[in-house]
Amino acid sequence: MVVVGAGPAGLTVGNILRAAGVDCVVLECETREFIERRPRAGVIEEWAVHALDRRGLATTLLARAERHTACAFRFEGEQHRFEYREVTGSHHFVYPQPLLVTDLVREYADVRGGDIRFGVRDVEPHAVESDRPAVSYTCPDTGRRRLLRCDYIAGCDGARGVSRAVLPEDRVRVARHDYGIGWLALLAEAPPSSDCVLFGVHADGFAGQMPRSPEVTRYYLQCPPGDDPDNWPHDRVWTQLRRRLAATGAAPLTEGRLTEKRVLDMHDYVVEPMAVGRLFLAGDAAHLVAPIAAKGMNLALHDAFLLGDALAARLTGADPNGRALADYSQACLRRVWDYQEFSQWLSEVYHGAAAGDPFRTGTSLARLRRLFTSRQAAAAFAEQYLGTAERY
């Protein structure tokens, strides 16, 4: 078994296989140090943490992660706190992705003795529709090509990886959506000004504050797509954050050094089906959901649980006919499309007020007010925000 990519999806699949006694090799083009430090998402839904825990992969997470039970929307100069724990009984975990990756690498390589090869180059899957697929790569130590023959390939190498590129165009459909907006993603060496996530809906554009730790805060600012981060010097960033997150009685933002500043163009895609032959995609290789609703890592983990369990069952003989593998794509895509729809809905809430269209502004604010005046609307929002629907 070969897993391409050592992100949350690939490492989770690898750990599930190792726990089942299945031999596998994880191939990663970056170094271990790089993937353990690469800044990424930090919000994990409670169901995903419980699923990690059942597989012995959440010990450190449960000891160190912050639990968030509410979020707050700031609009029309006021703050409105949304206590989703009271509505659903569920909460979020805040645990930066680099920490989760560090935990998963340690468990796979150091504890479970898994084979992981860092720094590989020119990875290429072969014969994915045959009974004996293979993956070739260039060894970083010798510069020589190596070929790994395997039973299955898990393509977990992200949006820019090679796995999706080898799928035959006549066998898959890629559905795409572009929001036509950008987010300036920022990391600040500054404590958060609130104990929960903040969403600022403002005529100048959306702003978000996501606590990462007591000393580090993630911020977002809506900007034109393709904008240059250099257009956002320190003073402009903090002026706009204060303006867009302003609310009566709110604590002032604590200014700090910006350690990351990059522009994300908001777009989505979904690959259907997520498998061809013996190549199975998971995570961003199969679908990209804009960070509007903080769903990307959660979808990657959901894919990994289903794929890892299905592969383990097939390769150990528990599911000799591979029925779970046959159902994998459809089972994943139900949740994928639900999360995509929620992200699209939430985008209009966040960005409608800055569209320059009085009608979109009015409907955006109407959606927000409904969350705080209708118990049914609040329950529906909380269910999608936390991913707690009974069925997808």
Side-chain angles (χ1 to χ4, degrees), residues 99 139 333 391:
L99 297 182
C139 175
L333 285 168
R391 293 187 62 191

Side-chain angles (χ1 to χ4, degrees), residues 40-72:
R40 285 293 186 270
V43 177
I44 310 179
E45 293 169 351
E46 187 177 7
W47 65 265
V49 173
H50 292 327
L52 286 168
D53 190 37
R54 288 195 298 272
R55 294 165 174 83
L57 301 174
T59 302
T60 305
L61 187 161
L62 289 169
R64 298 178 59 184
E66 296 181 9
R67 290 162 174 79
H68 281 214
T69 61
C71 61

Side-chain angles (χ1 to χ4, degrees), residues 250-330:
L253 302 184
T254 301
E255 192 171 316
R257 186 172 73 93
L258 299 173
T259 60
E260 182 190 63
K261 189 166 52 174
R262 57 195 175 102
V263 171
L264 309 175
D265 290 344
M266 298 292 104
H267 64 280
D268 309 317
Y269 62 74
V270 179
V271 179
E272 295 183 290
M274 291 170 51
V276 171
R278 296 203 171 199
L279 170 61
F280 295 82
L281 302 183
D284 286 358
H287 42 73
L288 182 71
V289 56
I292 292 166
K295 295 295 189 180
M297 180 163 59
N298 294 287
L299 281 178
L301 290 171
H302 181 255
D303 294 349
F305 300 143
L306 294 183
L307 182 57
D309 290 347
L311 286 167
R314 174 68 179 87
L315 293 170
T316 60
D319 180 13
N321 296 320
R323 290 187 177 182
L325 276 179
D327 293 340
Y328 165 72
S329 180
Q330 184 179 4

Side-chain angles (χ1 to χ4, degrees), residues 178-184 222-228 263-266:
D178 189 341
Y179 290 93
I181 58 172
W183 277 11
L184 181 68
Q222 183 181 343
C223 65
D227 203 355
D228 186 344
V263 171
L264 309 175
D265 290 344
M266 298 292 104

Side-chain angles (χ1 to χ4, degrees), residues 25-323:
V25 177
V26 176
L27 300 176
E28 171 55 49
C29 65
E30 302 290 353
T31 66
R32 179 169 181 170
E33 293 75 19
F34 180 87
I35 67 170
E36 291 182 346
R37 296 176 182 174
R38 177 171 45 193
R40 285 293 186 270
V43 177
I44 310 179
E45 293 169 351
E46 187 177 7
W47 65 265
V49 173
H50 292 327
L52 286 168
D53 190 37
R54 288 195 298 272
R55 294 165 174 83
L57 301 174
T59 302
T60 305
L61 187 161
L62 289 169
R64 298 178 59 184
E66 296 181 9
R67 290 162 174 79
H68 281 214
T69 61
C71 61
F73 291 88
R74 293 181 178 179
F75 59 98
E76 298 183 313
E78 301 293 333
Q79 174 162 290
H80 304 263
R81 190 175 177 91
F82 188 86
E83 299 280 356
Y84 50 78
R85 177 68 179 270
E86 294 180 2
V87 178
T88 65
S90 297
H91 58 269
H92 276 124
F93 289 81
V94 175
Y95 194 64
Q97 182 172 314
L99 297 182
L100 178 62
V101 167
T102 298
D103 296 343
L104 294 174
V105 170
R106 182 186 304 115
E107 185 67 27
Y108 176 78
D110 303 336
V111 177
R112 300 183 182 184
D115 185 346
I116 183 166
R117 304 177 190 184
F118 293 103
V120 300
R121 291 288 180 266
D122 306 317
V123 177
E124 184 179 357
H126 304 275
V128 299
E129 297 189 72
S130 73
D131 292 336
R132 194 65 172 165
V135 180
S136 64
Y137 68 94
T138 300
C139 175
D141 297 324
T142 65
R144 295 180 179 178
R145 296 293 290 172
R146 297 197 62 183
L147 183 70
L148 300 174
R149 299 196 179 276
C150 53
D151 294 308
Y152 296 95
I153 303 169
C156 309
D157 49 344
R160 298 179 180 85
V162 299
S163 298
R164 182 161 56 97
V166 304
L167 297 178
E169 293 183 1
D170 61 340
R171 299 283 299 280
V172 299
R173 180 186 72 177
V174 183
R176 303 180 186 275
H177 175 70
D178 189 341
Y179 290 93
I181 58 172
W183 277 11
L184 181 68
L186 306 152
L187 271 181
E189 291 182 339
S193 65
S194 171
D195 64 344
C196 68
V197 172
L198 301 179
F199 306 118
V201 176
H202 194 276
D204 286 357
F206 169 78
Q209 177 193 270
M210 289 73 177
R212 285 292 178 263
S213 74
E215 301 84 21
V216 176
T217 305
R218 166 73 76 186
Y219 286 103
Y220 292 112
L221 281 169
Q222 183 181 343
C223 65
D227 203 355
D228 186 344
D230 290 339
N231 292 334
W232 292 85
H234 183 98
D235 288 346
R236 184 188 181 195
V237 165
W238 289 103
T239 297
Q240 282 297 311
L241 285 172
R242 286 191 292 267
R243 179 175 171 79
R244 300 185 196 185
L245 290 171
T248 301
L253 302 184
T254 301
E255 192 171 316
R257 186 172 73 93
L258 299 173
T259 60
E260 182 190 63
K261 189 166 52 174
R262 57 195 175 102
V263 171
L264 309 175
D265 290 344
M266 298 292 104
H267 64 280
D268 309 317
Y269 62 74
V270 179
V271 179
E272 295 183 290
M274 291 170 51
V276 171
R278 296 203 171 199
L279 170 61
F280 295 82
L281 302 183
D284 286 358
H287 42 73
L288 182 71
V289 56
I292 292 166
K295 295 295 189 180
M297 180 163 59
N298 294 287
L299 281 178
L301 290 171
H302 181 255
D303 294 349
F305 300 143
L306 294 183
L307 182 57
D309 290 347
L311 286 167
R314 174 68 179 87
L315 293 170
T316 60
D319 180 13
N321 296 320
R323 290 187 177 182

